[in-house]
Amino acid sequence: MLFRIVAAAFAALYLSTLGVAGAQSDPASSATSSNGPMERAVDQLFTRWAEPNSPGAVIAVLQGGKIIYSQGYGAANLEYGVPNTPSTVFHLASVSKQFTAFAIYLLAHEGKLSLDDDVRKYVPRLHDFGKLITIRQLLHHTSGVRDQWNLLALTGWRLDDEITDDDVAHLLFQQTELNFAPGDQFLYSNSGYTLLAMVVKQVSGQTLPEFAKERIFEPLGMSHTHFQDKYGMIVKDRAYSYGRQPDGKYQYIALTYSTVGPSSLFSTVGDLARWDENFYTGEVGGLTLLAEMQQRGKLNNGKDINYASGLSIGKYRGLRTVEHAGGDAAYRTNILRFPDQHFSVVVLANAGDLNPRALSFRIADIYLKELLKPAPDKPALDDKPEVTIDPKILDAYVGDYELRPGFIISISKDNDHLVTRATGQPSFPMYAVSNTAFRLRVVPAEIVFDEVAQGGTAQSAVLHQNGANLSLKRITISKPAADRLKAYEGHYYSAELGVIYDVFIREDVLMVHYPRRDLDLRPVGADAFTTGFPIGNLKFACADDGKCNAMLIDDGRVKQLRFDKTSLDPIGSRSSQ
């Protein structure tokens, strides 16, 4: 999603019950259809997605072990007009990780593994990187293992291809380098949770779906929850995912994962209420296990991170929070817990333009109003209509703007509108809301350019997204000389991916062909270029004599992936056509 780097009143009747234990045995059965002022305020947050011709969401507000409000908005299936309801089943994306982590902790508490074991004890096919990678580091995203989805995309896979556990394993076992030394940094990696699913299978003798069903879902009465390791499985009452397109219309976005661990859990808000309540009762696993699972990770330098085992630990307006969000295809999910108040919010969505994390906190603002500290002032992107402006005005804004070193937002003009592209991401059209302010439809983001004199060009702008105001400065990027561009041309092979990239010049523009398509390379520094997903940033390794024999790719979750120049001429390369 564009600009991914932008990294978030209880009435007296309810106040008296906050923090009180003693939950209902069946939290899902206590959902209410009341429509008081707080419920109406929640409904207003979802007005945009509450139409029958729009995908939407299902929410549940949990307090004291009960669902005090649950509601569905929009359609679970646009083709057949099936509405979202509290019984609708959603793909949870990365919310799945806490369940995989819980399975690992169950095995650890039974003495069948240690969190400080070398993962290669259980997954010996993983390359010996010469450094110990522990199960604990996989849980905390501090292992340095490269992310599987980025690796697959770099190899030429589309994320709507069927992707199996074997496909992912094959690619992970080919890796011979890490992003960093284990324990040195935190960097989110889905691969770690795929490896954890392998550990569960090796230790328990059951696949993760089998283990989770027997040891987690059935004991908690989560009868509508399962890990899906085959994308074609029939799931009754399933919501399908729909992404909002640049023209404002929704399109079905297929999800064909047949792999489990980091994702692929399906559930309902009612079942997740049971899961949430287990963090208070310890009915399954015990309270000691659950407390350990919520301990923040630690780096080699002793610094604590804000991530535990499939859970983010933080504070919001003075109150402790435990949460995790997820997003695959156009599914968007979040579970937000305020443990000291015994209060949680679950948001499960099938609309790609809905931000469940932001909406979870806005729901908490409504119910916990009297307990929250004052919120810092943050500008909100209130709805504004599109306006028509003179296309000549747009010329002043065309150019490259630096958000941070190596991250460029490029603005171009297409007839009567602007188009924006951020480093490593696709291009998206923008629409004007004033002569200086422009918005995207795919995400809630706005760029406001500074005022310019007639005939001048804007030198700066501000990106507004997620309550942040980020400065953009115009930069001039020098194009390398023709002979330097020529030195970059050639075929480059990655043994870790098993693919060849072709670098070539087309109409004086340096291009790279990877197994799916051609991408233009825009210079951002000495021998350094940026381009669209999945490559991101690319830097050539060149000797003093001007010969360039390798290139390194950094796309965020994959760092310093090396490609060596080769004499091989792959079928489909530019020189073989």
Side-chain angles (χ1 to χ4, degrees):
M1 188 166 288
L2 192 62
F3 307 138
R4 288 168 296 191
I5 49 87
V6 181
F10 248 114
L13 173 64
Y14 294 119
L15 277 171
S16 64
T17 64
L18 282 174
V20 177
Q24 299 294 309
S25 60
D26 186 1
S29 68
S30 54
T32 177
S33 60
S34 67
N35 195 25
M38 288 187 289
E39 289 74 28
R40 290 195 296 271
V42 171
D43 292 344
Q44 289 176 357
L45 298 176
F46 292 86
T47 300
R48 176 175 167 184
W49 299 279
E51 300 298 324
N53 60 350
S54 170
V58 176
I59 62 101
V61 182
L62 319 176
Q63 189 263 309
K66 300 179 181 179
I67 297 181
I68 60 173
Y69 188 58
S70 186
Q71 187 61 268
Y73 308 94
N77 185 296
L78 290 177
E79 288 85 346
Y80 296 99
V82 179
N84 278 319
T85 73
S87 62
T88 301
V89 178
F90 288 82
H91 169 92
L92 299 191
S94 287
V95 170
S96 310
K97 288 181 172 67
Q98 57 196 277
F99 293 85
T100 303
F102 189 72
I104 289 289
Y105 276 86
L106 286 173
L107 293 170
H109 271 249
E110 292 168 359
K112 296 180 179 178
L113 60 81
S114 167
L115 299 187
D116 295 313
D117 283 343
D118 184 346
V119 66
R120 295 189 69 252
K121 177 179 178 180
Y122 309 103
V123 190
R125 290 182 61 197
L126 186 67
H127 180 74
D128 183 356
F129 298 99
K131 302 177 179 68
L132 175 68
I133 298 176
T134 67
I135 291 174
R136 192 185 304 275
Q137 289 166 341
L138 297 176
L139 289 164
H140 295 155
H141 297 299
T142 59
S143 68
V145 176
R146 291 166 171 161
D147 188 88
Q148 63 192 51
W149 305 129
N150 295 55
L151 289 171
L152 285 164
L154 287 164
T155 307
W157 287 74
R158 292 191 178 101
L159 295 185
D160 55 2
D161 295 333
E162 182 183 0
I163 300 171
T164 69
D165 284 328
D166 287 342
D167 296 326
V168 175
H170 176 74
L171 192 52
L172 291 183
F173 296 156
Q174 286 183 180
Q175 300 303 299
T176 59
E177 299 291 339
L178 298 170
N179 282 331
F180 49 81
D184 275 3
Q185 300 178 37
F186 168 85
L187 183 61
Y188 198 89
S189 174
N190 287 282
S191 305
Y193 277 75
T194 291
L195 292 171
L196 291 172
M198 296 180 191
V199 172
V200 170
K201 183 177 181 180
Q202 178 65 29
V203 173
S204 72
Q206 296 176 293
T207 65
L208 179 61
E210 292 168 342
F211 183 89
K213 179 182 179 181
E214 178 181 314
R215 300 294 305 278
I216 305 173
F217 307 145
E218 289 181 347
L220 288 176
M222 299 174 67
S223 58
H224 304 288
T225 302
H226 71 280
F227 270 109
Q228 183 155 314
D229 55 5
K230 179 62 179 176
Y231 87 94
M233 289 173 59
I234 302 300
V235 181
K236 186 179 180 181
D237 298 324
R238 176 210 304 247
Y240 288 82
S241 74
Y242 301 92
R244 199 174 189 205
Q245 303 305 298
D247 62 3
K249 297 179 181 179
Y250 284 101
Q251 177 178 306
Y252 167 66
I253 307 295
L255 182 66
T256 55
Y257 292 174
S258 294
T259 180
V260 297
S263 185
S264 298
L265 186 72
F266 284 71
S267 191
T268 64
V269 294
D271 275 11
L272 292 175
R274 295 183 173 89
W275 168 252
D276 179 80
E277 185 58 17
N278 192 57
F279 280 83
Y280 299 100
T281 67
E283 177 183 350
V284 176
L287 291 176
T288 300
L289 180 156
L290 289 157
E292 291 175 3
M293 184 174 160
Q294 296 174 80
Q295 292 177 359
R296 294 159 61 187
K298 190 182 295 289
L299 300 179
N300 290 335
N301 62 10
K303 180 181 178 181
D304 288 334
I305 61 175
N306 292 328
Y307 199 90
S309 300
L311 298 166
S312 295
I313 311 299
K315 279 194 172 183
Y316 177 69
R317 296 177 61 183
L319 303 182
R320 289 197 307 128
T321 59
V322 180
E323 62 167 323
H324 207 289
D328 285 331
Y331 293 106
R332 302 290 182 264
T333 59
N334 195 55
I335 300 178
L336 169 64
R337 182 181 309 114
F338 291 81
D340 297 330
Q341 286 68 44
H342 205 154
F343 177 87
S344 300
V345 179
V346 180
V347 178
L348 308 181
N350 63 333
D353 59 330
L354 188 151
N355 186 331
R357 186 171 186 269
L359 288 164
S360 295
F361 281 103
R362 293 189 68 181
I363 292 171
D365 289 341
I366 294 169
Y367 283 89
L368 301 181
K369 180 179 179 180
E370 301 301 327
L371 299 178
L372 294 166
K373 291 182 178 180
D377 291 333
K378 289 185 178 181
L381 290 181
D382 298 325
D383 287 338
K384 293 181 182 178
E386 181 175 1
V387 299
T388 301
I389 64 175
D390 185 345
K392 294 180 181 178
I393 294 175
L394 305 180
D395 296 332
Y397 308 134
V398 172
D400 296 305
Y401 297 80
E402 185 178 64
L403 181 60
R404 67 166 189 251
F407 193 94
I408 311 299
I409 294 179
S410 295
I411 305 295
S412 59
K413 180 181 175 182
D414 183 7
N415 296 321
D416 59 352
H417 65 270
L418 293 179
V419 176
T420 182
R421 186 172 85 175
T423 294
Q425 299 178 36
S427 297
F428 291 100
M430 306 181 76
Y431 66 95
V433 294
S434 76
N435 279 351
T436 58
F438 300 83
R439 293 189 174 184
L440 292 93
R441 287 192 171 90
V442 291
V443 291
E446 177 179 280
I447 295 179
V448 181
F449 297 92
D450 58 356
E451 298 278 357
V452 296
Q454 186 174 2
T457 56
Q459 298 302 307
S460 63
V462 177
L463 166 64
H464 301 288
Q465 187 176 5
N466 291 343
N469 304 320
L470 303 173
S471 297
L472 303 173
K473 297 295 182 183
R474 180 186 287 271
I475 60 172
T476 300
I477 300 175
S478 300
K479 180 181 178 181
D483 59 341
R484 192 59 169 176
L485 288 180
K486 194 71 177 175
Y488 300 138
E489 283 194 306
H491 309 306
Y492 294 81
Y493 176 69
S494 167
E496 292 179 281
L497 297 184
V499 298
I500 295 177
Y501 283 17
D502 185 25
V503 177
F504 62 97
I505 299 171
R506 177 195 289 159
E507 298 178 355
D508 297 326
V509 176
L510 193 68
M511 309 285 294
V512 59
H513 175 80
Y514 80 106
R516 281 298 185 185
R517 58 194 177 102
D518 298 340
L519 296 170
D520 60 295
L521 295 173
R522 293 175 291 155
V524 292
D527 299 323
F529 296 80
T530 183
T531 188
F533 182 82
I535 294 174
N537 296 310
L538 183 154
K539 187 175 178 64
F540 291 95
C542 304
D544 293 339
D545 62 4
K547 292 183 179 179
C548 302
N549 297 315
M551 64 182 187
L552 299 172
I553 284 177
D554 182 344
D555 71 357
R557 293 183 181 175
V558 171
K559 296 183 178 295
Q560 301 298 297
L561 180 64
R562 184 179 179 89
F563 286 71
D564 291 298
K565 188 171 279 189
T566 177
S567 59
L568 294 174
D569 189 3
I571 296 174
S573 72
R574 293 294 136 184
S575 57
S576 66
Q577 293 180 358

